[in-house]
């Protein structure tokens, strides 16, 4: 079956612009995570959705970052007024439940000029 | 609070030798433990997990990991390393029966030397 998909695969933007990153999780997966990874380094947790519960936003680095998950499926990560330090690969993952392994998407490479 | 530590940023092993990538954790109660691998220019892939049962867990690509409750460790192992095992490895943990997110370690870069 289809895996986790993310779009766009690459995004180049100018400093100060807003960007939207999309994640389509595997159908039926109730948990969805967003992470950020810089230059093949570790995973930085951003936000976590579990079913209909309020999302865990504890990893969002600033109020310029927000995310929503509509209908318990597709999620959008929005970065407002992008800065150069926002440049990274943004990874989305989903799992059947919180106790199952995560399936990762290919990521969106964001470059802020 | 949950935490996971991968004490080595990088591990170098000669091809054909056994390899170990270390992971220790801290959770309240019993843990779910995971290993993931990221090959160069590829996405993160699940390798194996421990939930309950046998302390030795076997996973993909010939990898295995041993859960040691007394040492709160979950080291990744392989009897004979291949050059193609060179990648970035992540350990992850979450507490059983808690509605908490999974916590990832910072990753260990494994270099297998031909």
């Amino acid at each position: 079956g289809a895996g986790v998909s993310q779009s766009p695969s690459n995004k180049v933007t100018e400093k100060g612009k807003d960007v939207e990153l999309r994640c389509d999780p595997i159908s039926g997966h109730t948990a969805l995570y967003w992470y950020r990874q810089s230059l093949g380094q570790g995973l930085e947790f951003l936000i976590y959705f579990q079913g209909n519960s309020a999302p865990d936003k504890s990893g969002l680095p600033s109020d310029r970052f927000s995310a929503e998950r509509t209908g318990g499926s597709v999620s959008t990560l929005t970065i407002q007024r992008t800065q150069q330090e926002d440049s990274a690969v943004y990874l989305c993952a989903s799992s059947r439940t919180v106790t199952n392994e995560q399936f990762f998407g290919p990521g969106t490479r964001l470059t802020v000029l | 609070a949950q935490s996971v530590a991968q004490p080595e940023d990088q591990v170098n092993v000669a091809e054909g030798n056994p390899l170990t990538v270390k992971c220790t954790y801290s959770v309240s109660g019993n843990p779910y433990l995971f290993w993931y691998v990221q090959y160069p220019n590829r996405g993160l892939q699940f390798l194996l997990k421990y939930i309950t049962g046998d302390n030795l867990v076997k996973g993909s690509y010939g990898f295995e990991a041993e859960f040691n409750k007394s040492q709160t460790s979950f080291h990744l192992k392989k009897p004979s390393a291949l050059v193609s095992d060179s990648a970035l490895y992540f350990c992850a943990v979450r507490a059983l029966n808690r509605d908490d997110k999974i916590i990832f370690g910072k990753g260990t870069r494994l270099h297998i030397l031909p």
Side-chain angles (χ1 to χ4, degrees), chain B residues 25 67-73:
Chain B
Y25 66 90
F67 170 62
N68 187 317
K69 187 172 184 178
S70 63
Q71 297 185 5
T72 62
S73 67

Side-chain angles (χ1 to χ4, degrees), chain B residues 30-84:
Chain B
N30 294 317
Y32 284 120
L33 294 155
F34 304 83
W35 276 102
Y36 290 83
V37 59
Q38 188 174 36
Y39 296 104
N41 300 314
R42 291 172 63 181
L44 272 152
Q45 299 175 37
F46 167 75
L47 265 183
L48 52 79
K49 67 180 176 183
Y50 171 84
I51 299 177
T52 62
D54 194 346
N55 289 345
L56 185 64
V57 179
K58 294 188 183 296
S60 307
Y61 311 118
F63 283 91
E64 57 189 28
E66 186 168 11
F67 170 62
N68 187 317
K69 187 172 184 178
S70 63
Q71 297 185 5
T72 62
S73 67
F74 190 56
H75 301 330
L76 182 69
K77 300 182 180 184
K78 186 172 182 180
S80 179
L82 300 173
V83 172
S84 57

Side-chain angles (χ1 to χ4, degrees), chain A residues 9-85:
Chain A
S9 55
N10 279 284
K11 177 71 177 179
V12 180
T13 190
E14 294 179 347
K15 178 181 174 180
K17 301 277 188 173
D18 297 352
V19 296
E20 281 191 355
L21 312 180
R22 176 186 169 106
C23 172
D24 284 84
I26 293 172
S27 178
H29 281 194
T30 62
L32 187 148
Y33 300 76
W34 282 98
Y35 298 92
R36 180 166 71 175
Q37 186 177 33
S38 301
L39 292 175
Q41 299 303 309
L43 295 175
E44 178 186 3
F45 165 76
L46 296 177
I47 188 168
Y48 155 57
F49 297 89
Q50 170 52 42
N52 295 321
S53 302
D56 178 347
K57 304 179 182 179
S58 60
L60 295 178
S62 77
D63 59 8
R64 296 186 295 106
F65 287 72
S66 63
E68 63 178 18
R69 188 178 185 192
T70 54
S73 181
V74 172
S75 177
T76 303
L77 177 69
T78 302
I79 309 173
Q80 296 179 309
R81 305 181 301 282
T82 52
Q83 303 295 313
Q84 288 183 332
E85 60 264 28

Side-chain angles (χ1 to χ4, degrees), chain B residues 102-113:
Chain B
I102 292 176
I103 302 295
F104 279 80
K106 62 178 175 57
T108 298
R109 191 165 296 280
L110 178 64
H111 287 285
I112 307 302
L113 309 171

